[in-house]
Amino acid sequence: MPQADFILIRKRNLEDTSEAAIAKEYGFTDYHKIPRDKAGIYMFYDVSDNLLFVGKARKLRMRIRKHFEDNVSNIKNHRDDVHKIVVCVVENPMEREIYETYIINTLQSKYNIEKAFFRS
């Protein structure tokens, strides 16, 4: 499994208006640290550190933002449950695919239904 390059934790103080709209709305004030032009995988965790969702992207920041804005996202009904976002930069597309599938099945993410091979 790749090492985490960025870990974003939801902040509880939402009065600060100096951040982007996503930061104010969802509490991730370090969102700007995710590189715009890097590819990789991302993992959403709840407050109890249970893995909710794993995804991969060619442009990490844009894809993660879509999960919080899009109406067709797999986590659209569970956005408030996301407490931590872990981002791993992985440029090779084949490695991204392998890591995503491996993490989904090893850590048993809750909302990745299409790639879950070993559910009990």
Side-chain angles (χ1 to χ4, degrees):
M1 203 154 87
Q3 293 294 327
D5 292 298
F6 305 95
I7 298 175
L8 285 68
I9 305 290
R10 182 179 298 222
K11 305 288 192 251
R12 295 289 175 217
N13 183 6
L14 300 178
E15 286 87 32
D16 184 10
T17 58
S18 64
E19 298 291 336
I22 190 168
K24 288 189 298 186
E25 189 170 348
Y26 297 103
F28 294 101
T29 57
D30 295 336
Y31 185 74
H32 65 280
K33 293 181 180 179
I34 302 171
R36 293 177 189 263
D37 59 343
K38 295 290 184 185
I41 58 170
Y42 53 90
M43 296 164 272
F44 296 146
Y45 289 88
D46 66 11
V47 73
S48 302
D49 239 12
N50 297 315
L51 183 61
L52 299 175
F53 185 79
V54 180
K56 62 184 180 308
R58 285 181 289 159
K59 296 187 181 209
L60 283 165
R61 189 189 300 189
M62 186 170 59
R63 184 66 189 107
I64 293 170
R65 173 173 274 159
K66 283 186 108 117
H67 277 292
F68 290 99
E69 296 173 345
D70 202 3
N71 286 331
V72 296
S73 169
N74 293 2
I75 64 158
K76 70 180 177 185
N77 297 325
H78 310 285
R79 291 177 181 139
D80 292 335
D81 297 340
V82 178
H83 175 71
K84 178 170 73 172
I85 302 172
V86 175
V87 178
C88 306
V89 175
V90 180
E91 291 295 334
N92 184 305
M94 186 177 293
E95 287 181 17
R96 283 195 304 268
E97 183 72 36
I98 291 168
Y99 280 135
E100 180 192 34
T101 305
Y102 176 77
I103 293 168
I104 288 168
N105 287 287
T106 303
L107 301 180
Q108 297 186 355
S109 66
K110 192 170 182 178
Y111 300 117
N112 287 93
I113 300 164
E114 73 282 353
K115 289 192 176 184
F117 300 120
F118 303 107
R119 294 279 182 202
S120 52

